[in-house]
């Protein structure tokens, strides 16, 4: 799927093969079998072109990832704990990307206003950056509160793939 998503256009088995062979030795029939399996699972569609097929992704990589996360989350007996575990595995950059995504989904009209006007205007009378942070520690982060990675409520050990429960690999 990575190769099909990479081109973002219909590809042939030969094109995928040649791309993969730049990194490792692989047989034409292996690539053909994998693409056929992806077609059988509904992840790619194909159209005949002469004696070959052109394969195209049914959804984007982002949509596929979102579906995997949603499936893992909805299958959890404790969705909140699953989210806490997931957030705990995230890097600071990933948590910031999540905050940005929540802001996009909420839109500007739903983003809560800061509770402390001095946090927005540090030059206000008797306000400094220090006391603004003490009075409103979430001033920079009003859209999403992220749990700490060391949360004792997390039951899922770091590195375990929640989507792989029940022997599935997500591939």
């Amino acid at each position: 799927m990575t190769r099909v998503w990479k081109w973002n256009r219909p590809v042939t088995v030969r094109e995928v093969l040649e791309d993969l062979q730049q990194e490792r030795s692989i047989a034409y029939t292996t690539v053909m079998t994998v693409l056929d399996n992806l077609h059988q699972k509904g992840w790619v569609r194909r159209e005949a072109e002469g004696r070959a097929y052109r394969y195209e992704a049914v959804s984007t990589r982002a949509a596929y990832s979102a579906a995997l996360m949603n499936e893992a989350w909805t299958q959890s007996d404790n969705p909140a704990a699953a989210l806490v575990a997931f957030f705990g595995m995230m890097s600071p950059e990933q948590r910031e990307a999540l905050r940005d995504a929540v802001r996009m989904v909420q839109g500007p009209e739903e983003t809560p206003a800061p509770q402390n006007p001095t946090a927005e205007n540090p030059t206000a009378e008797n306000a400094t950056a220090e006391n603004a942070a003490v009075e409103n520690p979430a001033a920079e982060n009003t859209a999403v509160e992220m749990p700490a990675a060391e949360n004792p409520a997390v039951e899922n050990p770091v590195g375990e793939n929640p989507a792989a429960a029940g022997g599935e690999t997500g591939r």
Side-chain angles (χ1 to χ4, degrees):
M1 283 304 302
T2 299
R3 303 303 166 139
V4 176
W5 283 320
K6 177 177 136 180
W7 285 307
N8 197 28
R9 64 169 175 80
V11 295
T12 64
V13 171
R14 177 74 52 200
E15 289 173 317
V16 175
L17 173 72
E18 289 171 359
D19 191 38
L20 288 169
Q21 284 180 333
Q22 292 177 16
E23 297 171 15
R24 64 178 189 253
S25 177
I26 189 167
Y28 181 93
T29 54
T30 302
V31 176
M32 184 175 62
T33 300
V34 169
L35 285 169
D36 185 59
N37 288 342
L38 291 171
H39 177 258
Q40 300 279 333
K41 291 179 178 186
W43 294 359
V44 295
R45 65 179 143 259
R46 67 184 181 192
E47 285 192 31
E49 183 176 281
R51 294 179 51 199
Y53 286 109
R54 283 209 171 263
Y55 295 86
E56 182 176 23
V58 170
S59 68
T60 65
R61 175 178 246 163
Y64 172 74
S65 297
L68 281 178
M69 289 186 287
N70 186 56
E71 181 182 348
W73 183 48
T74 57
Q75 289 180 2
S76 173
D77 60 344
N78 187 343
L83 284 174
V84 169
F86 180 63
F87 296 152
M89 293 179 207
M90 296 173 104
S91 69
E93 294 80 18
Q94 290 169 321
R95 286 192 291 271
E96 186 58 34
L98 177 63
R99 287 183 192 99
D100 292 343
V102 169
R103 286 184 199 110
M104 284 190 279
V105 170
Q106 288 179 337
E109 66 280 350
E110 293 183 39
T111 304
Q115 298 171 357
N116 182 352
T118 59
E120 271 189 353
N121 183 6
T123 61
E125 187 178 318
N126 297 326
T128 66
E130 289 177 18
N131 68 17
V134 169
E135 291 173 17
N136 186 8
E140 292 179 33
N141 220 355
T142 57
V144 177
E145 282 292 319
M146 302 306 298
E150 303 86 37
N151 190 330
V154 175
E155 296 177 31
N156 187 11
V158 174
E160 184 176 313
N161 180 357
E168 293 185 33
T169 62
R171 293 182 193 194

